[in-house]
Amino acid sequence: MNLPVLNFPAVEFRFQKNEKGNLQIFDVIRKKFVDATPEEWVRQHIIHYLINHKDVPASMISVEKQLVLNNTKRRTDIVIFNSSLKPLLIIECKAPLISIDQLTINQALRYNMELKVPAIFLSNGLQHICLKLEKAGPIVLKEIPDYNTLLNF
């Protein structure tokens, strides 16, 4: 599989092939190798960006957190928490070929009905949208805030 260059700083990832010959990438949050799907490639870049450039403690990052919406189990891609385990940011990852559009934003907003975070971030690795959710309506941010800023949202 050809992994595209994404709009994130370069990372030295650990790779392996599983018994079926599929490429896998090491997830530092789940502490295991996972299949290097296009969406996972984006997720791993975001995780390293959060830890190495936004000072988010790895212990405050949850990957594929399960929640129930309308009696249906769903999974968020990434959620950042504070030390009291209050969710601060939902991150929705898409494969690079999937555009970030209103449908993607609506998906994250549906997850937020359960989690009630002050911000959401959506990315396909090439295009990114970060929204601070205010009562008067969402505000588009230039980038993901660093962890200390998120704590003050």
Side-chain angles (χ1 to χ4, degrees), residues 72-97:
T72 305
K73 290 181 182 178
R74 301 280 186 211
R75 290 187 185 274
T76 57
D77 288 317
I78 302 170
V79 178
I80 299 175
F81 294 88
N82 68 14
S83 60
S84 301
L85 299 182
K86 178 184 181 289
L88 301 172
L89 179 69
I90 295 171
I91 300 173
E92 184 60 33
C93 306
K94 295 296 181 190
L97 295 176

Side-chain angles (χ1 to χ4, degrees), residues 80 86-90 112 115-120 131-134 139 141 150-153:
I80 299 175
K86 178 184 181 289
L88 301 172
L89 179 69
I90 295 171
N112 197 40
L115 295 175
K116 298 177 180 24
V117 296
I120 60 174
L131 300 172
K132 183 177 181 189
L133 305 175
E134 302 264 327
I139 298 171
L141 303 176
L150 277 174
L151 291 173
N152 293 313
F153 273 11

Side-chain angles (χ1 to χ4, degrees), residues 7-144:
N7 289 335
F8 287 102
V11 178
E12 291 291 321
F13 290 109
R14 290 175 43 204
F15 294 99
Q16 73 174 20
K17 291 211 173 178
N18 66 11
E19 60 281 350
K20 295 178 184 173
N22 296 331
L23 184 65
Q24 295 187 313
I25 188 169
F26 189 75
D27 182 328
V28 297
I29 303 301
R30 292 177 279 184
K31 298 187 177 5
K32 66 179 184 177
F33 282 93
V34 295
D35 287 345
T37 63
E39 182 178 309
E40 192 63 48
W41 181 237
V42 172
R43 180 179 9 240
Q44 292 306 315
H45 274 82
I46 292 172
I47 288 169
H48 284 268
Y49 181 72
L50 293 169
I51 294 169
N52 298 321
H53 298 275
K54 295 298 177 176
D55 301 319
V56 177
S59 61
M60 296 293 111
I61 299 173
S62 173
V63 174
E64 294 195 331
K65 176 178 174 40
Q66 184 174 299
L67 51 95
V68 178
L69 293 173
N70 299 322
N71 298 319
T72 305
K73 290 181 182 178
R74 301 280 186 211
R75 290 187 185 274
T76 57
D77 288 317
I78 302 170
V79 178
I80 299 175
F81 294 88
N82 68 14
S83 60
S84 301
L85 299 182
K86 178 184 181 289
L88 301 172
L89 179 69
I90 295 171
I91 300 173
E92 184 60 33
C93 306
K94 295 296 181 190
L97 295 176
I98 306 294
S99 64
I100 302 300
D101 57 17
Q102 191 62 50
L103 290 174
T104 312
I105 293 170
N106 291 347
Q107 179 181 6
L109 291 173
R110 277 192 304 276
Y111 293 161
N112 197 40
M113 289 169 29
E114 177 73 23
L115 295 175
K116 298 177 180 24
V117 296
I120 60 174
F121 179 72
L122 310 111
S123 177
N124 64 6
L126 304 171
Q127 177 188 12
H128 320 294
I129 297 174
C130 191
L131 300 172
K132 183 177 181 189
L133 305 175
E134 302 264 327
K135 285 183 182 168
I139 298 171
V140 178
L141 303 176
K142 291 187 188 316
E143 61 182 356
I144 297 177

